[in-house]
Amino acid sequence: MHRLHPARVLVTGGAGFLGSHLCARLLEGGADVLCADNFSTGTRDNVLPLLDHRGFELVRHDICQPLHVEVDEIYNLACPASPVHYQVDPLQTFKTCVHGAQNMLGLARRLKAKVLQASTSEVYGDPDFHPQKESYWGNVNPTGPRSCYDEGKRCAETLCFDYRRMHGIRIKVARIFNTFGPRMNPADGRVVSNFIVQALTGQPLTIYGEGHQTRSFCYVDDLLEGCVRLMATPDEVTGPINLGNPHELQVRELATTILRLTGSRSPLVFKPLPVDDPRRRRPDITLANETLGWRPTASLEAGLVKTIEYFDRLLGTPGYKIPAGVNGHAKQHVA
Ligand SMILES: NC(=O)c1ccc[n+]([C@@H]2O[C@H](COP(=O)([O-])OP(=O)(O)OC[C@H]3O[C@@H](n4cnc5c(N)ncnc54)[C@H](O)[C@@H]3O)[C@@H](O)[C@H]2O)c1
């Protein structure tokens, strides 16, 4: 259907890594974008280039509180996404997942707007089945240190489906797998940013366990293409739908690739595995491929090169300091 005027889109968490790329992309597509963020892990710097765009508005807002705005579509991305960040205040993380989702679904109900909920591969926990299909209900520890996020996101999915059943809300649930790219927070301990920053600053690359655990990494542009396509699907398409890159590799291999691409001579150091760290993680993207005609197109190396360039520039900015107590001191890196 052709729109008479561009959609007005709310992006919660729009000043974060994924959100800032999404805001830029939606603006390019002609939408008016309202970015709501409490800046807990995101920064104004991430959206600085967008502030002059006439279709862009930025508001400081915590989604645990109701938000009264007029929009047609809501991308609910607000939530700290790495263990280092979401474990700082697990109660706030859980509230953001649950009260935040409820507030956004309530807003969608009032406005008859569509909601895309950013869910996560963490809803599968430490999976018994590999690769993970949407039909798998998961193996999540409900009481561990990662539960505030994993169970919070599961609860947000439940809310989406109950709002749909009770109030007919148009929902789209995206189960996002590890995504990387420019504007990742250098301080949040995620494995790609950790390794790149360590390699560029000559610190040892920290590997947890022996590094044989596998992960699959999706480049940010690919992931957002999937999200935007999902939002544009007919109302009967609700998800949950996996979005991620099925190319699987060992964490150790990722480290050696980053050493090669940065030309770094940093050594590898091995530390004990964190609690509940999943051993394997790879999406089955058959459903996304059939429903959205989507699959990732960027190679890992091409994405890493762009990400390395970004961090190289960031670290070379005069006066720039990596936020204290994180990179190189991160308690663990993310799944
Ligand atoms: N990046 C990934 O690999 C990945 C994987 C799975 C799921 N996700 C999901 O995608 C979303 C975005 O992740 P990201 O990687 O961009 O993380 P991020 O930490 O860079 O961005 C999250 C943003 O949400 C904001 N925020 C946090 N709590 C808030 C609150 N209560 N109210 C308003 N704003 C709040 C933060 O300030 C930040 O700007 C998250 O919901 C995350 O769970 C990301």
Side-chain angles (χ1 to χ4, degrees):
M1 194 181 77
H2 289 290
R3 289 198 176 102
L4 293 178
H5 53 79
R8 296 160 303 171
V9 187
L10 169 63
V11 180
T12 74
F17 159 50
L18 295 181
S20 60
H21 287 273
L22 179 62
C23 289
R25 187 190 173 106
L26 294 168
L27 287 168
E28 272 166 34
D32 284 341
V33 175
L34 172 62
C35 165
D37 204 295
N38 70 353
F39 302 117
S40 55
T41 59
T43 65
R44 219 177 119 83
D45 283 352
N46 282 340
V47 289
L48 212 51
L50 308 181
L51 292 177
D52 288 337
H53 196 296
R54 58 199 295 271
F56 185 72
E57 273 181 90
L58 176 63
V59 55
R60 180 189 287 268
H61 178 80
D62 186 321
I63 61 158
C64 297
Q65 303 303 323
L67 180 63
H68 299 287
V69 292
E70 302 294 320
V71 291
D72 308 302
E73 294 177 351
I74 302 168
Y75 287 85
N76 187 27
L77 268 57
C79 186
S82 79
V84 169
H85 280 153
Y86 68 63
Q87 290 172 5
V88 168
D89 185 345
L91 295 176
Q92 168 68 12
T93 300
F94 195 73
K95 274 198 266 183
T96 297
C97 290
V98 179
H99 296 196
Q102 189 163 20
N103 283 327
M104 291 308 117
L105 288 158
L107 178 64
R109 184 181 173 202
R110 182 172 72 77
L111 301 173
K112 301 197 182 343
K114 270 196 273 190
V115 185
L116 183 141
Q117 169 65 28
S119 188
T120 168
S121 54
E122 302 293 332
V123 301
Y124 298 120
D126 191 3
D128 300 311
F129 296 94
H130 198 73
Q132 291 80 55
K133 278 183 191 297
E134 292 83 350
S135 52
Y136 176 49
W137 289 353
N139 177 32
V140 174
N141 175 356
T143 59
R146 298 172 76 117
S147 311
C148 57
Y149 182 75
D150 302 4
E151 295 289 20
K153 289 285 186 178
R154 286 169 68 93
C155 196
E157 287 197 9
T158 306
L159 280 167
C160 286
F161 283 87
D162 282 336
Y163 264 80
R164 178 175 168 84
R165 280 185 286 263
M166 284 194 70
H167 304 300
I169 305 299
R170 293 175 294 159
I171 55 155
K172 314 281 175 192
V173 175
R175 287 189 180 152
I176 301 172
F177 283 65
N178 277 349
T179 302
F180 73 100
R183 297 208 284 272
M184 291 179 86
N185 186 322
D188 69 6
R190 284 192 247 194
V191 63
V192 172
S193 43
N194 244 19
F195 284 169
I196 293 177
V197 174
Q198 288 169 335
L200 291 175
T201 54
Q203 300 172 67
L205 272 59
T206 323
I207 294 190
Y208 296 90
E210 293 184 5
H212 297 308
Q213 67 274 41
T214 68
R215 296 292 184 267
S216 48
F217 301 98
C218 187
Y219 188 61
V220 58
D221 291 352
D222 279 332
L223 188 274
L224 294 178
E225 175 66 28
C227 291
V228 169
R229 286 192 194 196
L230 177 57
M231 185 63 111
T233 50
D235 293 351
E236 62 275 16
V237 178
T238 58
I241 195 157
N242 289 340
L243 294 176
N245 194 319
H247 173 74
E248 186 180 6
L249 82 165
Q250 292 190 355
V251 165
R252 206 183 176 113
E253 253 179 286
L254 175 74
T256 52
T257 307
I258 288 175
L259 287 177
R260 175 166 55 77
L261 294 175
T262 50
S264 168
R265 295 175 167 215
S266 292
L268 306 181
V269 291
F270 295 87
K271 297 204 170 157
L273 267 181
V275 178
D276 294 338
D277 198 47
R279 289 153 296 168
R280 299 184 78 186
R281 198 40 87 56
R282 172 156 70 95
D284 181 322
I285 58 163
T286 311
L287 185 61
N289 191 235
E290 286 170 3
T291 316
L292 313 175
W294 175 88
R295 60 171 55 255
T297 57
S299 71
L300 177 71
E301 287 211 14
L304 284 176
V305 167
K306 288 188 193 167
T307 313
I308 290 167
E309 279 167 10
Y310 165 79
F311 278 113
D312 206 22
R313 262 197 322 275
L314 185 72
L315 299 175
T317 308
Y320 179 80
K321 282 204 181 82
I322 300 172
V326 195
N327 196 281
H329 314 282
K331 279 183 270 176
Q332 55 178 262
H333 55 219
V334 75

